[in-house]
Amino acid sequence: MAKVSEKYELMVIFNPALGEEGVQETFGKFKSLIEANGTLEEVEDMGKRKLAYEIDYITDGHYFLVKFTSVPGFPKELDRVMGITDGILRSLITVRPA
């Protein structure tokens, strides 16, 4: 029997050049997408932090950590949408231990 839902963790880093309002607005779109396709469990706005290494000459990023539950196919679509969205420096979706 296939799993109905799985627990995931998303770490996403936004370009601070979007400005605080732009970061919150863009994150809000992903938050809505997650809520429409799964269950949002926890959101941690980690704020602006120094990157471990420069990405396209950018040294800071606005970090979010999101824990959610969804069907196994959704994270691939979420990752695809994040990959084509301007203002996202990096994102990583991992499966959380049960």
Side-chain angles (χ1 to χ4, degrees):
M1 188 171 143
K3 284 192 174 183
V4 175
S5 65
E6 188 79 64
K7 292 183 175 193
Y8 296 96
E9 191 170 83
L10 162 68
M11 173 65 80
V12 61
I13 307 171
F14 289 91
N15 185 339
L18 291 172
E20 187 62 36
E21 199 173 291
V23 167
Q24 294 297 335
E25 184 180 314
T26 306
F27 177 72
K29 291 176 184 174
F30 291 112
K31 186 177 169 190
S32 298
L33 186 61
I34 292 169
E35 289 171 336
N37 292 280
T39 306
L40 189 63
E41 294 175 7
E42 186 181 328
V43 174
E44 185 180 348
D45 183 347
M46 300 171 75
K48 192 173 176 182
R49 295 175 174 225
K50 195 127 192 89
L51 297 173
Y53 54 90
E54 282 186 9
I55 301 172
D56 297 331
Y57 304 104
I58 298 167
T59 57
D60 296 318
H62 194 115
Y63 287 69
F64 283 92
L65 178 65
V66 181
K67 294 179 181 177
F68 66 96
T69 305
S70 75
V71 295
F74 172 66
K76 187 174 182 179
E77 175 62 12
L78 179 62
D79 192 48
R80 185 192 71 78
V81 173
M82 290 188 136
I84 59 173
T85 302
D86 288 338
I88 293 182
L89 297 176
R90 290 285 186 274
S91 66
L92 178 66
I93 302 171
T94 55
V95 176
R96 288 188 292 153

